Amino acid sequence: MSDLDRLADRAAIQDLYSDKLIAVDKRQEGRLASIWWDDAEWTIEGIGTYKGPEGALDLANNVLWPMFHECIHYGTNLRLEFVSADKVNGIGDVLLLGNLVEGNQSILITCVFTDEYERRDGVWKFSKRNACTNYFTPLAGIHFAPPGIHFAPSGA
């Protein structure tokens, strides 16, 4: 494997990492379903394990999206280890900020994602993701609001 091939593979995997976060934040079912192999497993500790694209959509539609009015993930510290030319292990940290539906409460969540990626027929996708939540912290007295909501227009 050439250095150029390795860089292209890293870029493709980094896109998968971001695509999962973007898909959940923007509620994009097509993007979310497209990043998992049919036999993939997505485990969120304390919630359960979901299999394949259908499982990812089930988790999003029946657990994650009903939980939040809106949320945004910030992914960082992605570290990739090539196990072989077609298998990569990854670990990364995620900070989620959002507004919960229940109680109209803002929340801060931090997680560590431990991932396995596989290339099949030239395409990289998730084969496994484990999310371990470090903090699930309601932010008392805080509600995230869009810019400008607290400011009256000039002349008002």
Side-chain angles (χ1 to χ4, degrees):
M1 173 178 282
S2 75
D3 289 344
L4 187 56
D5 291 333
R6 182 65 52 102
L7 286 172
D9 291 340
R10 283 185 178 280
I13 293 166
Q14 288 170 334
D15 284 350
L16 285 175
Y17 186 85
S18 295
D19 280 345
K20 186 272 170 192
L21 303 177
I22 291 166
V24 171
D25 290 348
K26 309 282 190 267
R27 300 179 186 225
Q28 297 175 342
E29 288 186 341
R31 184 186 298 252
L32 184 60
S34 73
I35 62 176
W36 305 92
W37 290 115
D38 288 339
D39 59 348
E41 292 184 355
W42 180 7
T43 301
I44 299 181
E45 293 181 11
I47 294 177
T49 299
Y50 296 79
K51 297 190 186 264
E54 298 80 16
L57 291 175
D58 179 37
L59 175 59
N61 282 308
N62 296 306
V63 178
L64 302 177
W65 293 335
M67 186 185 312
F68 296 100
H69 285 294
E70 64 278 320
C71 64
I72 187 164
H73 290 78
Y74 296 97
T76 188
N77 297 336
L78 178 62
R79 183 74 169 107
L80 302 175
E81 175 189 350
F82 281 78
V83 176
S84 70
D86 297 319
K87 292 186 184 213
V88 171
N89 292 335
I91 188 168
D93 298 316
V94 170
L95 168 71
L96 179 150
L97 296 171
N99 289 318
L100 294 171
V101 169
E102 185 177 318
N104 205 25
Q105 172 70 58
S106 294
I107 189 132
L108 178 146
I109 301 171
T110 63
C111 296
V112 175
F113 288 157
T114 306
D115 300 320
E116 295 177 16
Y117 306 90
E118 288 185 26
R119 176 173 39 203
R120 301 178 190 171
D121 297 321
V123 176
W124 285 101
K125 293 187 181 187
F126 283 97
S127 57
K128 189 176 268 191
R129 164 158 275 187
N130 185 67
C132 177
T133 302
N134 299 106
Y135 302 105
F136 192 98
T137 307
L139 301 172
I142 295 174
H143 182 79
F144 297 121
I149 198 166
H150 299 294
F151 302 103
S154 61

